Structures are given as C-alpha cells and as structure tokens.
Amino acid sequence: MAKGYWIANVDVHDAEGYKSYVTANAEPLRKFGGRFLVRSGRSNVAEGKLRSRVVVIEFADYATAQACYDSPEYAAAIRLRKDVSTADIVIIEGYDGPQPADG
C-alpha cells in the first residue's frame, strides 16, 4: 500500500509566533503516526520557486494523512499558524509502482 504525505512550503513571518504552531502540531502528528522526512534542511531550488521552508511528513497511507489534516487537533494548530506564516500544503498519495531501475 502506498504511503501518504504532506508536502508543505512555508514562509514564516514571525519565528517566535511560529513556535506555538510547531508545539501544537506535535499532538496530531503523533496521534496519526506522522514522521518527518524533510524538515527545512539544506536545499537548492534547481528550477521554479519555493518558499523558504520545505517540510515533508510521511503517514501510513493517504487516508491517514488526510485524517490528520482534517482532525480538530490540527485545525487548532492551523489557527496558530495562519497569522505568522504563509503556507502551501499538498496531501498526496505516494507511488508504489515500477521504478526505472526495475527495467
């Protein structure tokens, strides 16, 4: 079964205020088994344009990723994030098919 992911591109306008969001999102991420794969590490925008922070969170599957985003706990975290940052978030199903190395 393919995993589910959140891919977030974020510009933080108030770093101190953003800390409240980070604290609040820990509960729903833990509850739904979210796991950070990328959390704003070193990057190079090879093409196009992204925001200053890129975050990728993995879930067991797409339904779980969506359920976490739709949860009341995450809705409370979103309210903390809205005034201190601008975010584009995609919830996406992973790919579980053939790969180029498979021939």
Side-chain angles (χ1 to χ4, degrees):
M1 175 187 304
K3 295 189 182 233
Y5 300 90
W6 289 6
I7 301 173
N9 294 300
V10 183
D11 283 332
V12 176
H13 312 301
D14 175 355
E16 197 59 36
Y18 195 77
K19 290 178 184 178
S20 296
Y21 163 72
V22 171
T23 300
N25 78 18
E27 178 186 347
L29 291 177
R30 187 172 29 257
K31 178 179 176 182
F32 289 91
R35 185 172 83 92
F36 287 97
L37 298 181
V38 175
R39 197 169 191 185
S40 208
R42 183 173 60 174
S43 67
N44 172 37
V45 179
E47 293 186 39
K49 181 179 177 184
L50 291 176
R51 297 188 182 278
S52 60
R53 293 177 55 97
V54 177
V55 179
V56 178
I57 303 171
E58 179 183 72
F59 294 87
D61 52 41
Y62 178 82
T64 303
Q66 188 67 59
C68 183
Y69 186 84
D70 293 339
S71 71
E73 299 93 342
Y74 192 67
I78 290 172
R79 288 191 293 274
L80 296 171
R81 188 192 74 223
K82 290 284 187 180
D83 291 336
V84 298
S85 68
T86 303
D88 299 311
I89 300 175
V90 175
I91 301 167
I92 191 164
E93 185 174 41
Y95 178 70
D96 200 18
Q99 296 295 331
D102 294 341

